[in-house]
Amino acid sequence: SQQGEEDPQALSIQEGENATMNCSYKTSINNLQWYRQNSGRGLVHLILIRSNEREKHSGRLRVTLDTSKKSSSLLITASRAADTASYFCATDRYSGAGSYQLTFGKGTKLSVIP
Amino acid sequence: DAGITQSPRHKVTETGTPVTLRCHQTENHRYMYWYRQDPGHGLRLIHYSYGVKDTDKGEVSDGYSVSRSKTEDFLLTLESATSSQTSVYFCAISERDSSYEQYFGPGTRLTVT
């Protein structure tokens, strides 16, 4: 079952604009992660935010986490054509016997127009 | 792709035939995972391994088996392929458990006719 759900499903912006993607999840988490996937490639890890953190930055990326609303957002500032990709949030879900599984949302497809 | 290779990269097979996909890592990471990616479903975990000979089921394990006889290799087997197993399969590794960042291979596109 899907733990994280991204919104919007697709987003098209002009180069230089900011892009914001949201992720909502259902059950409590330890960490939330964001990944990027370029067409025809594997996923690339972008950033991990722990449940006790509210905001995290990495270069042009800013991630926020609101555990009370069970939601996260990924902001990409000053977007570039090279940012065109699908973006996925992933949350850990307890699967029993002390182990966790990472579950992915369906992704937001971002198109940055030069 | 963080020292992860998958083979083959593309495969077309017929319904009912056995298929084995291989994931090889050079990072010496303990955890390895097999996912499938389908339109409208995102990535779903098939099986994972937390050490040599230690494996467990994921969300969509029916019809799949795995083996890990060496740290660096994780095999995914479809005993009798079905058309519903047409998908893109990704291997991933992580140094610690599933709560932490994972590194993905380039994927294998499997078509079952």
Side-chain angles (χ1 to χ4, degrees), chain A residues 1-2 30-31 33 35 37 40-45 48 50 88 92-93 95-96 98-107, chain B residues 1 9 33 35 37 40-45 48 56-59 90 96-107 109:
Chain A
S1 61
Q2 224 73 35
N30 291 317
N31 307 315
Q33 304 179 44
Y35 289 79
Q37 184 180 35
R41 306 290 297 272
L43 278 71
V44 174
H45 181 265
L48 180 153
R50 302 187 191 286
F88 296 86
D92 56 349
R93 177 174 61 87
S95 55
S99 66
Y100 290 82
Q101 294 184 10
L102 204 59
T103 58
F104 290 80
K106 297 177 184 179
Chain B
D1 289 322
R9 293 293 314 278
Y33 312 85
Y35 293 90
Q37 185 175 33
H41 289 280
L43 262 77
R44 292 180 291 174
L45 181 66
Y48 68 100
D56 205 349
K57 296 179 180 180
E59 182 187 351
F90 287 99
R96 291 180 283 182
D97 66 35
S98 301
S99 288
Y100 296 89
E101 57 192 88
Q102 297 184 11
Y103 302 94
F104 283 77
R109 183 173 294 277

Side-chain angles (χ1 to χ4, degrees), chain A residues 54-103:
Chain A
R54 292 296 166 258
E55 188 171 312
K56 204 162 182 179
H57 297 254
S58 177
R60 293 184 296 112
L61 306 180
R62 173 179 168 250
V63 169
T64 61
L65 179 63
D66 186 335
T67 53
S68 67
K69 295 181 179 177
K70 292 186 170 61
S71 67
S72 173
S73 67
L74 170 67
L75 169 68
I76 304 174
T77 60
S79 63
R80 306 166 182 168
D83 295 328
T84 294
S86 292
Y87 292 81
F88 296 86
C89 71
T91 54
D92 56 349
R93 177 174 61 87
Y94 186 64
S95 55
S99 66
Y100 290 82
Q101 294 184 10
L102 204 59
T103 58

Side-chain angles (χ1 to χ4, degrees), chain B residues 12-31:
Chain B
V12 179
T13 192
E14 293 185 349
T15 299
T17 59
V19 177
T20 295
L21 308 182
R22 180 183 183 236
C23 177
H24 179 78
Q25 61 145 329
T26 58
E27 306 296 324
N28 202 36
H29 284 358
R30 178 182 172 191
Y31 292 82

Side-chain angles (χ1 to χ4, degrees), chain B residues 16-94:
Chain B
T17 59
V19 177
T20 295
L21 308 182
R22 180 183 183 236
C23 177
H24 179 78
Q25 61 145 329
T26 58
E27 306 296 324
N28 202 36
H29 284 358
R30 178 182 172 191
Y31 292 82
M32 299 185 76
Y33 312 85
W34 277 108
Y35 293 90
R36 60 179 289 175
Q37 185 175 33
D38 305 288
H41 289 280
L43 262 77
R44 292 180 291 174
L45 181 66
I46 305 171
H47 281 280
Y48 68 100
S49 169
Y50 48 96
V52 173
K53 291 187 170 45
D54 293 322
T55 64
D56 205 349
K57 296 179 180 180
E59 182 187 351
V60 290
S61 59
D62 288 349
Y64 302 94
S65 63
V66 290
S67 66
R68 190 170 178 200
S69 59
K70 298 186 289 184
T71 298
E72 56 266 35
D73 290 325
F74 192 32
L75 304 180
L76 176 71
T77 298
L78 292 66
E79 300 291 347
S80 178
T82 67
S83 59
S84 64
Q85 294 176 312
T86 291
S87 187
V88 181
Y89 291 86
F90 287 99
C91 174
I93 63 174
S94 66

